[in-house]
Amino acid sequence: MTEKEKMIAGLLYQAGDSVLEAERLHARKLLKEFNDSDPENKVKRQKLLENLLGEIGEELWIEPPFFSDYGYNIKVGNQVFFNFNCVILDVVPVVFGNRVLVGPNVQFYPATHPLDAKTRGELWEYGTEIYIGGCLDWRREYNLPWRKNW
């Protein structure tokens, strides 16, 4: 099993693997171009996101700056919005359903390091998948009171 296969499966892996390093560099270059792009050049932005992300639904909008490790593990449904300064450490699949709205400065950290000193010192990493459903009304889900100013 390659380090990439282990990473995507959520197993311990070595991030210093040459394939993973090259893929992170590729993502960084696409992200830099996206983050520095003209806000009126929607076609260029869309193409960059298509080259970066694993799957994209219709009407995706991401406000730069946006950051990720690889990009290809991010799957996005229809009518999804990411506000400014979103970070997704996508060492495993990170999936957003339809009509998900992500506020400014929201960060998703499925990537982590073991807590025991020996394993951590050997530079092992792993991740846990994240799934964000679409059209969730938190007030209804958690029986919060309805308020007109929400």
Side-chain angles (χ1 to χ4, degrees), residues 44-109:
K44 178 180 181 177
R45 283 187 170 184
Q46 181 67 23
K47 293 277 188 209
L48 288 165
L49 292 174
E50 288 171 4
N51 288 327
L52 176 68
L53 303 179
E55 292 179 22
I56 296 178
E58 296 177 16
E59 299 180 55
L60 167 65
W61 187 260
I62 298 178
E63 289 287 357
F66 176 74
F67 305 97
S68 72
D69 275 333
Y70 300 94
Y72 55 71
N73 285 319
I74 301 170
K75 296 171 180 36
V76 180
N78 298 323
Q79 298 178 323
V80 174
F81 173 76
F82 292 90
N83 212 323
F84 299 101
N85 210 34
C86 182
V87 175
I88 304 174
L89 301 183
D90 64 313
V91 301
V92 290
V94 179
V95 180
F96 298 88
N98 296 328
R99 303 194 68 206
V100 173
L101 306 175
V102 178
N105 296 309
V106 174
Q107 301 178 357
F108 300 91
Y109 296 150

Side-chain angles (χ1 to χ4, degrees), residues 1 4 15 21 25 32 37 46-47 88 98 108 118:
M1 191 173 226
K4 180 177 179 175
E21 285 180 345
L25 179 60
K32 175 153 181 39
S37 65
Q46 181 67 23
K47 293 277 188 209
I88 304 174
N98 296 328
F108 300 91
K118 181 182 183 304

Side-chain angles (χ1 to χ4, degrees), residues 136-149:
L136 179 65
D137 185 328
W138 291 98
R139 294 168 292 183
R140 185 171 289 154
E141 187 73 19
Y142 293 101
N143 294 319
L144 297 175
W146 290 92
R147 296 192 181 165
K148 292 184 184 216
N149 61 343

Side-chain angles (χ1 to χ4, degrees), residues 105-140:
N105 296 309
V106 174
Q107 301 178 357
F108 300 91
Y109 296 150
T112 192
H113 304 273
L115 297 179
D116 70 278
K118 181 182 183 304
T119 310
R120 187 182 186 103
E122 294 170 352
L123 303 179
W124 291 99
E125 299 181 22
Y126 69 97
T128 304
E129 297 174 353
I130 294 178
Y131 295 91
I132 307 293
C135 300
L136 179 65
D137 185 328
W138 291 98
R139 294 168 292 183
R140 185 171 289 154

